[in-house]
Amino acid sequence: MVIRKVKILFVLFLIICSVSNAQFLPGGIDDKHKDDFKETGNLSGTSYASFQSKYSKAFSEYGIDLGLNAGIMLNNFFGLGFNISYLATKPVSQIDDRSIVMRMSYYGLEPELVYNFSSKLHLSFRLMTGLAYIDYGENNVIDLPADYNGDWIFITEPSAVMNLKILKSFWIGFYGGYRIAQGVQLYWFDSEDMSGLFSGLQIKLIIK
């Protein structure tokens, strides 16, 4: 059922990308949108980097994720980035009468569809897909070679972002979405414990 949902989300994302780009082909855009596009400038070939803070669900609790995203705009409306994040507020659980710190970090590709409302307001649709490493231990640091309790899982995060221009290349964004986790087999936790709604704030730098 979860895999089916991921496939449906991916197909919907591709359809949105195709329809949005088709509007800007010859004969598919009106004068008003042409004027708006002139104001926003040419995004094709520009790079971007952003710092993200996200309130999300992990290990049946909500906490703060911190992350970095960097990518490039392949044309004026479609970009491809890479995301790396980790759970900054690590919950503490009791396992075998011990206080154990729950830990998580994740990495993935993040295609992004950008719609320019004006020169100062952009709406983005993203679909982050990648792997997450979850584990528990007696400290906050994940030690991959020495940690035998860890579990690699698959996550998908569709989201929408409203970006506001603050300075020439400096943007601030507010976003929300849903995390879908698969393959969770860590102690008494399952995929539903890692899945849920999230919201966040990002600071974005566009480099031309």
Side-chain angles (χ1 to χ4, degrees), residues 110-155:
E110 192 168 56
E112 181 174 4
L113 175 67
V114 180
Y115 183 82
N116 304 328
F117 283 105
S118 69
S119 60
K120 296 183 179 181
L121 180 63
H122 292 175
L123 176 64
S124 300
F125 297 97
R126 304 187 301 203
L127 184 64
M128 201 283 284
T129 304
L131 296 174
Y133 187 78
I134 57 177
D135 78 335
Y136 57 86
E138 297 181 355
N139 56 66
N140 292 332
V141 180
I142 295 180
D143 184 5
L144 292 178
D147 194 337
Y148 302 104
N149 299 318
D151 184 23
W152 286 98
I153 66 174
F154 181 77
I155 60 173

Side-chain angles (χ1 to χ4, degrees), residues 2-12:
V2 175
I3 296 178
R4 183 180 179 183
K5 290 181 180 179
V6 173
K7 290 181 179 179
I8 293 175
L9 287 172
F10 184 72
V11 171
L12 289 176

Side-chain angles (χ1 to χ4, degrees), residues 9 22 25 31 62 64 81 105-106 117 124 155 168 170 190 207:
L9 287 172
L25 294 175
D31 293 337
Y62 276 86
I64 302 296
S105 60
Y106 52 98
F117 283 105
S124 300
I155 60 173
K168 182 177 181 181
F170 184 79
D190 57 26
I207 306 171

